[in-house]
């Protein structure tokens, strides 16, 4: 056995790997893109490996009973730590090195980020964070349209626990303000997904968040930033945003290779992460070491992938917008000054992203299915739900992602039988256009 594989050396290294302050200490000096590659991991502490090792173990050995006692004490009361003292690892449902490394990086995904927690899915990030932070008896006001899983959790699951939830079209400011006002002191949380899935309708984050805080300064404001990622920075957009959540399954993971989630709290609100991680331990919703390791590696290319996908999507959206077999294309950079989302997009986003929603000419499920099957027949564009990955995906919201939404609600949101959602990946956009054009010409 080589010296570097000596157990004691390894244990020492394991502990040090957790000390993220060993690497890129002065993070005000470096940009987030640099920190996403290096923060939280020092190869010198792991036999020089440029990539972090995976720690798949369930439990951690205490060097003494006293050390075990202290590990538990600090896990429950981190404020009791002496200067320079870091908590020890205990058990992988509570914490593990791969989670710590990726969390050190996730903080830098959001300008003004203060602390982060990883989860086994976007839904477990959303549900655990809400369960941890929403006082029982209070109300959540949330944007409509929204991802179906979030809608189900807020409408069906949360309401069984003595909380109420009210959905509102947050692009309609007058209506939204009325709803927030009607909650009064009971307003515990505002949850906004913008752009909304799949219509891409946008909410003015600062206008709605500042009004919510006027109604109740203790109300927490949470934004699902999955769709826009690097092109929208909610903490910068509004000082009233407290928490950002992500389905890391989408752009962060980026290769359709994992399911994961993340919660990031604003600098100065780090205390919130303690409650979130406490609930995460009870619910067992931490992401596994392998998933954290995958996420750590994929977020190294997060920015460059998102920019590449967005540039390709702009080309595809332009093509679709001129096609005679298509009645409308919903894509941020195609918004007109007369669209309600136009000014919000200009003010709030630095790029359009890579999700395009478009409508075929005929509101007919059979015809849309034929189009989708034709598109998928080349095995380049895949007929699948999810989005944000390097492989282009196409889906039919009315029968797939939004099939549980009542038809009347769908129609109100302009999700018809002709509506198709396309998530553009990194293929050559001219190939994507060729495939889409061929299938459209058969309609
Ligand atoms: N938020 C948004 C905007 C989503 O689109 C999704 C899933 O599609 C989720 C959250 C849930 O994420 P996950 O599937 O990783 O649980």
């Amino acid at each position: 056995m080589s010296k570097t594989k000596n157990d004691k050396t390894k244990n020492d290294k394991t502990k040090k790997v957790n000390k993220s302050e060993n690497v890129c200490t002065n993070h005000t000096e470096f940009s987030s893109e640099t920190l996403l590659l290096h923060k939280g991991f020092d190869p010198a502490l792991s036999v020089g490996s440029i990539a972090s090792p995976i720690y798949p173990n369930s439990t951690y050995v205490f060097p003494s009973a006293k050390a075990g006692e202290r590990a538990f004490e600090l896990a429950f009361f981190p404020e009791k730590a002496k200067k320079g003292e870091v908590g020890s690892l205990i058990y992988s449902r509570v914490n593990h090195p791969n989670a710590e490394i990726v969390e050190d990086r996730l903080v830098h995904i959001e300008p003004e980020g203060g602390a982060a927690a990883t989860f086994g899915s976007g839904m477990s990030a959303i549900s655990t964070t809400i369960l941890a932070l929403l006082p029982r008896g209070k109300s959540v006001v949330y944007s409509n349209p929204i991802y179906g899983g979030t809608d189900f959790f807020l409408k069906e699951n949360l309401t069984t626990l003595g909380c109420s939830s009210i959905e509102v079209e947050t692009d309609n400011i007058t209506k939204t303000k009325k709803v927030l006002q009607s909650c009064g002191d009971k307003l515990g949380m505002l949850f906004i997904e913008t752009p909304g899935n799949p219509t891409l309708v946008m909410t003015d984050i600062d206008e709605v968040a500042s009004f919510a805080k006027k109604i109740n300064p203790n109300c927490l404001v949470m934004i699902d930033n999955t769709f826009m990622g690097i092109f929208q920075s909610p903490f910068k957009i509004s000082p009233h945003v407290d928490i950002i959540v992500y389905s890391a399954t989408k752009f962060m993971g980026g290769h359709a290779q994992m399911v994961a989630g993340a919660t990031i709290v604003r600098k100065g609100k780090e205390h919130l992460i303690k409650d979130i991680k406490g609930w995460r331990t009870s619910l067992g919703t931490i992401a596994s070491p392998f998933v954290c390791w995958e996420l750590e590696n994929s977020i190294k290319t997060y920015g460059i992938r998102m920019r590449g996908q967005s540039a390709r999507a702009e080309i595809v959206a332009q093509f679709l917008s001129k096609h005679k077999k298509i009645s409308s294309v919903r894509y941020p950079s195609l918004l007109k000054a007369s669209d309600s989302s136009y000014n919000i997009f200009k003010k709030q986003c630095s790029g359009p992203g890579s999700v395009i929603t478009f409508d075929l000419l005929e509101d007919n499920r059979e015809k849309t299915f034929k189009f989708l099957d034709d598109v998928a027949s080349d095995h380049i564009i895949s007929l699948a739900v999810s989005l944000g990955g390097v492989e282009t995906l196409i889906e039919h919201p009315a029968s797939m992602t939004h099939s549980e939404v009542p038809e009347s609600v769908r129609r109100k949101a302009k999700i018809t039988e002709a509506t198709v959602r396309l998530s553009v990946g990194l293929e050559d956009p001219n190939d994507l256009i060729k495939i889409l054009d061929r299938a459209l010409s058969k309609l």
Side-chain angles (χ1 to χ4, degrees):
M1 191 181 266
S2 77
K3 211 173 167 209
T4 52
K5 285 191 178 166
N6 175 282
D7 276 351
K8 181 156 180 357
T9 316
K10 234 182 173 180
N11 277 346
D12 287 346
K13 286 179 196 301
T14 309
K15 272 196 209 159
K16 284 181 185 164
V17 162
N18 288 315
K19 286 190 190 165
S20 55
E21 59 269 31
N22 284 336
V23 184
C24 302
T25 316
N26 185 2
H27 38 87
T28 50
E29 188 188 342
F30 302 112
S31 77
S32 89
E33 226 156 355
T34 302
L35 294 168
L36 287 183
L37 289 160
H38 300 286
K39 187 85 173 91
F41 176 66
D42 181 355
L45 300 173
S46 288
V47 299
S49 167
I50 185 86
S52 66
I54 304 175
Y55 296 89
N57 48 298
S58 57
T59 197
Y60 289 84
V61 179
F62 305 126
S64 67
K66 199 82 198 141
E69 179 192 51
R70 186 65 177 160
F72 272 85
E73 203 174 1
L74 290 186
F76 290 115
F77 306 102
E79 62 279 6
K80 285 191 179 175
K82 294 190 190 107
K83 202 165 181 274
E85 188 182 17
V86 286
S88 301
L89 294 165
I90 296 174
Y91 185 67
S92 292
R93 175 164 49 76
V94 182
N95 198 10
H96 52 78
N98 296 102
E100 291 200 350
I101 295 168
V102 80
E103 284 165 1
D104 277 347
R105 299 207 182 164
L106 283 170
V107 167
H108 300 286
I109 268 193
E110 287 297 343
E112 317 284 328
T118 49
F119 293 89
S121 66
M123 274 321 300
S124 56
I126 291 168
S127 55
T128 307
T129 304
I130 293 175
L131 287 171
L133 301 181
L134 180 70
R136 300 301 170 261
K138 298 275 183 183
S139 308
V140 184
V141 171
Y142 68 100
S143 56
N144 175 29
I146 198 163
Y147 170 62
T150 309
D151 183 57
F152 193 86
F153 173 73
L154 293 171
K155 202 181 278 163
E156 305 292 334
N157 303 139
L158 191 69
T159 47
T160 64
L161 301 173
C163 293
S164 56
S165 61
I166 309 159
E167 61 183 305
V168 60
E169 291 78 37
T170 42
D171 59 318
N172 181 336
I173 289 293
T174 315
K175 197 170 167 188
T176 304
K177 285 184 174 173
K178 258 190 204 150
V179 168
L180 291 168
Q181 212 143 23
S182 73
C183 293
D185 300 347
K186 277 195 82 183
L187 180 65
M189 192 174 271
L190 170 69
F191 187 104
I192 297 170
E193 180 185 299
T194 181
N197 181 4
T199 60
L200 305 182
V201 67
M202 295 193 185
T203 299
D204 187 322
I205 294 174
D206 189 51
E207 184 155 21
V208 179
S210 59
F211 193 80
K213 291 270 166 127
K214 258 186 227 147
I215 299 296
N216 181 4
N218 295 324
C219 160
L220 289 171
V221 177
M222 192 160 154
I223 308 290
D224 184 331
N225 204 33
T226 302
F227 264 57
M228 272 297 172
I230 62 159
F231 300 119
Q232 181 172 271
S233 305
F235 290 145
K236 266 176 82 181
I237 289 167
S238 173
H240 304 292
V241 174
D242 304 292
I243 304 148
I244 299 174
V245 284
Y246 277 99
S247 167
T249 313
K250 309 295 186 306
F251 290 97
M252 279 188 199
H255 302 78
Q257 88 286 30
M258 59 146 85
V259 176
T263 296
I264 301 155
V265 299
R266 178 189 282 284
K267 208 177 269 176
K269 304 251 167 163
E270 287 85 353
H271 60 280
L272 298 175
I273 218 77
K274 186 179 167 228
D275 288 341
I276 295 168
K277 287 188 176 173
W279 274 78
R280 183 179 73 174
T281 295
S282 301
L283 298 174
T285 48
I286 192 171
S288 73
F290 181 71
V291 165
C292 288
W293 179 82
E294 284 255 37
L295 186 56
E296 179 202 332
N297 288 309
S298 51
I299 60 175
K300 289 176 181 176
T301 54
Y302 176 57
I304 205 159
R305 277 187 284 105
M306 278 205 90
R307 281 192 288 277
Q309 287 174 239
S310 179
R312 284 158 176 77
E314 286 215 72
I315 298 169
V316 175
Q318 281 293 343
F319 158 78
L320 293 171
S321 71
K322 290 180 194 123
H323 204 287
K324 58 180 190 312
K325 297 275 179 74
I326 288 175
S327 63
S328 72
V329 180
R330 285 170 261 183
Y331 184 66
S333 63
L334 292 178
L335 287 166
K336 297 193 181 68
S338 54
D339 292 320
S340 64
S341 295
Y342 179 83
N343 285 330
I344 305 173
F345 171 61
K346 294 276 168 211
K347 177 170 86 165
Q348 212 161 264
C349 309
S350 60
S354 56
V355 178
I356 306 170
T357 299
F358 61 94
D359 285 46
L360 302 175
L361 273 186
E362 280 186 70
D363 189 2
N364 175 317
R365 183 171 290 199
E366 220 172 291
K367 286 228 163 135
T368 309
F369 278 12
K370 183 186 167 344
F371 167 73
L372 292 170
D373 290 341
D374 280 341
V375 167
S377 65
D378 284 294
H379 301 286
I380 302 282
I381 299 178
S382 301
L383 184 53
V385 295
S386 200
L387 54 98
V390 293
E391 302 92 354
T392 296
L393 304 181
I394 197 161
E395 69 112 1
H396 184 237
S399 65
M400 296 172 190
T401 46
H402 293 68
S403 55
E404 279 180 62
V405 179
E407 195 185 346
S408 57
V409 179
R410 277 203 311 261
R411 294 232 165 234
K412 227 169 106 188
K414 298 203 183 91
I415 305 167
T416 71
E417 295 300 331
T419 306
V420 169
R421 189 184 77 187
L422 183 73
S423 169
V424 177
L426 283 180
E427 296 89 350
D428 182 331
N430 294 316
D431 289 337
L432 301 177
I433 288 171
K434 210 181 294 169
I435 292 164
L436 291 163
D437 196 28
R438 197 150 54 210
L440 284 167
S441 70
K442 290 188 193 161
L443 285 176

